[in-house]
Amino acid sequence: MSCQTMPNAAAHPAPKMMSDGVPGEVRVVAFLCNWCSYAGADKTGMNQLPVPDELSVVRVMCSGRVEPTLILETFRKGADGVMVLACHPGDCHYKEGNLRAFCRAELLERMMPQLGVDPARFYFDYVSAAEAEKFSQATNDFVASIRALGGTAPGRYAK
Amino acid sequence: MNKQPKTAVILCTCSGIITEKIDWDTVRAHLAEHPDKPVVTTDELACGAENLEKLAAWLKEEKPERVVVAACSPREHERTFRTLLASAGINPYYLQMINVREQVAWVTADPAQATRKAARLIGAALKRVRHHRPLVERRVPVRTDVAVIGAGPAGIQAALTLARAGRRVTLIEREPFFGGMPVRFEELFPNLECGPCLLEPGMGELLHGPESEHIKLLTLTEVTEVKGSFGNWQLSLRQQPRYVNPELCIGCMVCAAVCPERRENPWNCGGELAAVDGPFVGALPNLPHVDATRCLKLNGQECGACLAECPVEGALDFGDTIRDSVVEVGAIIVATGAEELPVVPPAFAGKDNVFSAYAFERLLAMTGPSGGELVKGDGSAPASLAIVQCAGSFDDAVSYCSGTCCQAALKYAHIAAAKQEGLTVTRLIREQVVPGINAARLFGHDHSHVVRYGGLGDLTVAETPNGRVIVCGSNGAEVPADMIVLCGPTVPGSGTTQTARLLELGLDDAGFIAPIHALSGSFLSPLKGVYLAGTCRGPGDIREAFASGTAAAGVALSELVEGRDLTVDPQVAVVDAEQCAGCKSCIRVCPYKAISWDEATKAADISDILCRGCGTCVAVCPAGAITAQGFSRAMLRAEIEGVLS
Ligand code: SF4
Ligand code: SF4
């Protein structure tokens, strides 16, 4: 079920790039649903657990709102990694948006090699409002893996 | 490209908590260079009452067109700052909050990094707010009428409570009579109080008391469709024809006496009913009804015996038809009850004088098939009675305890022994659960032997020279069993399952309707405006039914108040009819059925009352015709661009 099980098909360049003037920094966007994952991120703060500096959170009401094109667009705009975190199955505030998000994530991962994006740069998971540790762990692990992959070349995903 | 509207940025120190990590002076210096030239203020504690006043004054003076607040989680204070904007005369939806406390200051070790991240997020917010549009909260009046589905003790109690408060209630019952299960039980645990006697005052009030003006009881009626949401539900109802005019019929049952057609009485688990008849003596409302599948006349045969003998002209009405109607209510109370699952293990199948708990209840009842006499099928008196408790509970299919069978079994033991001197009564138990102060009254005074058995599969039935016995495989005990009662588990009724499906309510592992919280919100469903009462929430006794009926009515009264309007969140999805390609994908995916097809515009249309703003439809629309107000594509794109630049 994990997105990380997908074959790492695309070769990817790993040039260092500039972000906010700091060499070598990668940029990762995390789409969090308002009810579980965003609350989980808040809880991570309350528990004072680390979240990588490179991670920028974009709040959406439901993970089901995040369509593949928005994710691809995020890569095109220069993200080196994208996360979508949703409520656990059965816990969606909107009944089933998280499952739609999951299905789309599965499809997107399959498409990504053809589109020239390394699927390892995308991560989908479930994080509940209580799972501060999981949020901290998942974001740190993912950003670390993106750091290892390196930044995507500027202009690689041309507008 | 939108021109940057004048934007105000409020940086909160959170009494120094945020500024432990984030240096607002650096951020201010950074913002001073920003091409958008926002006006910036730093506040000690932006959410504090006095500070809010100060900030409102500042905003009034600066007259910004957009406001960015860098503070704590929007989950905590978005409402506070929306109110702030409104008090400064700015549209509240021109706000964007940046969560620099929980998601930056508290999770970042290095202050320089935290400061940089905060600046980056504020930059993104500045881009985002360009695309904000003024949104207006619509207020809609709520209906205060209530529909109660199920007219057992919980539903009756809820309806009466609401009616006493002056609310109009539609009480929907699919049976031809009302009162639920206990009205068919002659004696109730633990005081052997008469079920109908306990319920009848309430039922009488409901039919004839001052409350009756507020309550419309619909028997033989089922809900076929539910639309709407809190404050504005529409229930489609289908009432089966009774073929008896309730206004005219005097309930004399002459029709039943002369009817030539007979059928088995499903309510009594035995005995007969005429095709036109009442289910049992004392059932309310006191009206017969015609079973259309059995009535000769309705099946094209020459009959009319009842018509000929009925003393009231027009009381029988063979022209009666199905009645479809729609009720519009603010709240729905689900009180659809539960059922006994009649478990008959193979060892008992086909044996005579084996009863389910419900069938035995009816056998003991004066209005039941034997007139309350404890007799076997051949009319003779039993010498022994074996009551098998947990008959199907604690098994794979039903793993839980139904909580009321021990009570019922104690009661049966007591009543049966009282009805027949010298009767040997044995209760076969797996567990015994009779808590509560009152339970002790029957416990220990039930005159029964108790045998513990392992599982239903261990039990066999054998004929011995001394009569029929149940043999317990595990310990070889032989329990005399002329008459056997199998106390089956309590399971969700078909009405509960059906209603849950109509309302799209979730079920718990056992199939009962899952409340919002098992302990603190057991009368509340996850849907606002839908409340739960009685055994649709799980097994329970009549005391629980009354209590939960009152509770559900109380919640409905407190949440739907005359004159207190409902505020419709404007952060909903809207369709641009011009762009809609007509694929109807959105209609299929919306989890709230908020989208309908508008024939006039040939486009999808979203109800702002039903829409919850999840954005699922936005993501699915291939034409890009749907906008989630507050989370539009343009806003998200700008924000993404912002965090990446
Ligand atoms: S998904 Fe879009 S195009 Fe299709 S019906 Fe809905 S609004 Fe119209
Ligand atoms: S935003 Fe969600 S609730 Fe609203 S119409 Fe779209 S899918 Fe339905």
Side-chain angles (χ1 to χ4, degrees):
Chain A
M1 181 156 104
S2 161
C3 311
Q4 304 309 306
T5 58
M6 291 300 296
N8 184 350
H12 53 82
K16 299 284 180 210
M17 64 175 298
M18 305 285 284
S19 171
D20 278 346
V22 177
E25 190 179 291
V26 293
R27 296 176 297 183
V28 175
V29 175
F31 293 99
L32 307 189
C33 84
N34 185 51
W35 307 98
C36 288
S37 321
Y38 194 89
D42 280 355
K43 180 113 196 233
T44 308
M46 288 168 215
N47 292 359
Q48 314 256 323
L49 297 169
V51 173
D53 307 335
E54 295 94 325
L55 188 88
S56 300
V57 165
V58 172
R59 182 170 71 111
V60 288
M61 294 314 277
C62 179
S63 57
R65 163 74 177 83
V66 187
E67 69 268 34
T69 47
L70 198 67
I71 295 166
L72 292 173
E73 214 172 300
T74 309
F75 280 115
R76 197 161 55 225
K77 291 202 159 100
D80 304 305
V82 177
M83 306 179 87
V84 174
L85 301 181
C87 306
H88 281 273
D91 287 345
C92 178
H93 185 79
Y94 302 107
K95 297 184 186 176
E96 57 201 14
N98 57 343
L99 301 180
R100 290 196 192 282
F102 168 70
C103 295
R104 291 191 194 122
E106 288 278 282
L107 282 174
L108 178 65
E109 271 169 33
R110 244 153 258 204
M111 279 164 59
M112 283 173 78
Q114 271 98 41
L115 299 168
V117 186
D118 183 347
R121 294 185 179 277
F122 175 63
Y123 183 86
F124 176 89
D125 207 345
Y126 305 110
V127 173
S128 82
E131 289 175 330
E133 270 176 27
K134 181 168 181 189
F135 183 79
S136 175
Q137 188 79 47
T139 53
N140 276 294
D141 287 356
F142 182 66
V143 171
S145 75
I146 297 298
R147 281 195 208 112
L149 287 175
T152 51
R156 176 171 159 78
Y157 310 111
K159 293 195 181 174
Chain B
M1 187 74 211
N2 286 349
K3 189 185 144 288
Q4 176 66 13
K6 179 174 175 181
T7 305
V9 179
I10 297 169
L11 308 171
C12 179
T13 78
C14 196
S15 301
I17 291 174
I18 289 172
T19 36
E20 251 176 47
K21 283 289 168 55
I22 298 171
D23 178 7
W24 281 143
D25 291 336
T26 306
V27 173
R28 285 188 80 143
H30 181 84
L31 287 172
E33 313 262 284
H34 198 281
D36 292 351
K37 304 257 174 292
V39 290
V40 186
T41 188
T42 310
D43 196 282
E44 274 301 299
L45 188 67
C47 62
E50 281 172 31
N51 305 47
L52 282 167
E53 271 175 40
K54 234 172 40 204
L55 287 170
W58 179 70
L59 289 174
K60 273 187 199 148
E61 197 182 301
E62 290 288 352
K63 296 196 177 25
E65 294 158 277
R66 302 288 190 275
V67 180
V68 172
V69 177
C72 55
S73 177
R75 291 173 53 85
E76 195 163 334
H77 274 308
E78 195 164 53
R79 199 134 269 289
T80 311
F81 292 112
R82 287 229 170 101
T83 312
L84 166 71
L85 265 64
S87 71
I90 304 167
N91 185 285
Y93 293 89
Y94 278 152
L95 169 76
Q96 177 68 4
M97 268 189 92
I98 307 300
N99 186 351
V100 291
R101 192 178 71 172
E102 281 85 343
Q103 296 192 11
V104 182
W106 285 349
V107 296
T108 313
D110 174 21
Q113 294 277 26
T115 304
R116 253 166 16 89
K117 186 165 182 175
R120 180 170 86 218
L121 295 176
I122 292 170
L126 287 173
K127 280 186 189 287
R128 190 192 204 268
V129 291
R130 285 181 192 185
H131 302 278
H132 282 214
R133 297 285 170 266
L135 300 177
V136 182
E137 287 181 355
R138 202 158 70 84
R139 301 185 75 80
V140 289
V142 291
R143 297 178 191 282
T144 55
D145 299 359
V146 181
V148 179
I149 311 177
I156 293 172
Q157 182 70 6
L160 284 172
T161 308
L162 290 161
R164 286 180 195 132
R167 295 302 175 81
R168 273 195 307 272
V169 181
T170 307
L171 180 56
I172 301 149
E173 172 57 55
R174 62 177 180 166
E175 297 279 1
F177 60 98
F178 73 129
M181 281 295 185
V183 85
R184 310 173 218 175
F185 295 179
E186 192 146 279
E187 292 175 282
L188 299 171
F189 184 84
N191 298 334
L192 305 182
E193 206 164 332
C194 145
C197 311
L198 178 73
L199 280 161
E200 252 155 38
M203 293 167 78
E205 256 174 85
L206 198 149
L207 290 174
H208 311 295
E211 288 80 7
S212 64
E213 282 179 29
H214 296 283
I215 303 174
K216 185 167 178 192
L217 171 68
L218 297 172
T219 51
L220 290 165
T221 303
E222 286 189 86
V223 182
T224 53
E225 198 187 1
V226 180
K227 282 203 269 192
S229 61
F230 178 64
N232 288 285
W233 296 101
Q234 291 133 41
L235 273 66
S236 303
L237 307 179
R238 167 155 288 201
Q239 184 169 35
Q240 296 300 328
R242 186 182 271 274
Y243 303 106
V244 169
N245 184 333
E247 307 294 323
L248 298 174
C249 171
I250 57 170
C252 65
M253 302 289 167
V254 164
C255 50
V258 299
C259 173
E261 180 67 12
R262 300 282 131 175
R263 59 184 161 134
E264 205 181 291
N265 182 341
W267 293 281
N268 266 349
C269 309
E272 281 188 339
L273 274 185
V276 52
D277 213 337
F280 47 84
V281 178
L284 288 177
N286 179 28
L287 298 170
H289 81 285
V290 177
D291 180 345
T293 62
R294 300 308 288 269
C295 169
L296 300 177
K297 186 173 167 64
L298 285 172
N299 287 289
Q301 295 184 39
E302 277 299 316
C303 188
C306 53
L307 276 171
E309 295 298 324
C310 175
V312 184
E313 170 92 30
L316 282 158
D317 171 14
F318 284 97
D320 202 2
T321 50
I322 287 179
R323 261 169 272 201
D324 288 322
S325 60
V326 175
V327 284
E328 300 192 320
V329 295
I332 300 170
I333 294 179
V334 181
T336 43
E339 281 169 15
E340 179 193 17
L341 179 71
V343 175
V344 183
F348 294 78
K351 301 269 186 308
D352 53 14
N353 297 307
V354 177
F355 297 80
S356 70
Y358 177 70
F360 197 62
E361 261 329 320
R362 291 307 300 156
L363 186 76
L364 296 178
M366 301 284 283
T367 59
S370 65
E373 267 188 72
L374 187 69
V375 284
K376 296 195 287 184
D378 61 8
S380 69
S384 58
L385 168 68
I387 306 169
V388 183
Q389 299 182 217
C390 323
S393 302
F394 301 116
D395 274 339
D396 291 345
V398 180
S399 58
Y400 54 90
C401 165
S402 297
T404 55
C405 339
C406 290
Q407 303 180 357
L410 285 170
K411 181 181 83 173
Y412 300 151
H414 185 86
I415 299 173
K419 281 198 191 260
Q420 192 179 314
E421 221 177 308
L423 182 75
T424 309
V425 185
T426 315
R427 291 190 295 115
L428 288 93
I429 64 168
R430 290 179 73 178
E431 302 294 343
Q432 182 139 276
V433 187
V434 272
I437 346 170
N438 290 330
R441 278 196 204 144
L442 278 186
F443 196 46
H445 298 281
D446 64 318
H447 318 292
S448 57
H449 311 280
V450 178
V451 172
R452 197 177 276 270
Y453 73 101
L456 276 187
D458 296 347
L459 304 181
T460 50
V461 183
E463 294 295 338
T464 69
N466 299 329
R468 189 166 73 170
V469 295
I470 297 177
V471 185
C472 305
S474 45
N475 53 22
E478 290 191 358
V479 174
D482 259 10
M483 201 176 240
I484 299 171
V485 181
L486 295 168
C487 296
T490 304
V491 293
S494 58
T496 293
T497 313
Q498 190 187 338
T499 307
R501 191 168 38 74
L502 285 176
L503 282 161
E504 294 187 37
L505 289 171
L507 303 176
D508 65 16
D509 291 344
F512 292 98
I513 299 180
I516 202 161
H517 192 282
L519 303 180
S520 65
S522 74
F523 313 127
L524 308 174
S525 87
L527 279 184
K528 203 163 155 63
V530 176
Y531 312 109
L532 309 173
T535 48
C536 67
R537 302 140 61 237
D541 60 12
I542 185 166
R543 182 174 74 141
E544 223 276 330
F546 276 118
S548 58
T550 315
V555 187
L557 286 173
S558 72
E559 289 194 342
L560 286 160
V561 180
E562 200 80 55
R564 198 197 283 166
D565 289 352
L566 189 73
T567 310
V568 182
D569 189 340
Q571 296 199 94
V572 292
V574 289
V575 181
D576 178 350
E578 292 279 292
Q579 298 218 7
C580 173
C583 68
K584 301 187 183 170
S585 313
C586 54
I587 299 178
R588 282 192 293 275
V589 299
C590 174
Y592 299 101
K593 297 204 192 116
I595 315 183
S596 53
W597 183 251
D598 186 339
E599 262 311 321
T601 56
K602 296 264 181 269
D605 181 55
I606 299 179
S607 148
D608 61 350
I609 294 183
L610 299 185
C611 173
R612 306 273 192 100
C614 63
T616 304
C617 57
V618 182
V620 94
C621 175
I626 311 181
T627 301
Q629 306 197 101
F631 287 86
S632 72
R633 198 166 271 121
M635 289 178 196
L636 293 185
R637 275 185 186 151
E639 192 175 345
I640 293 162
E641 228 162 73
V643 295
L644 291 173
S645 59

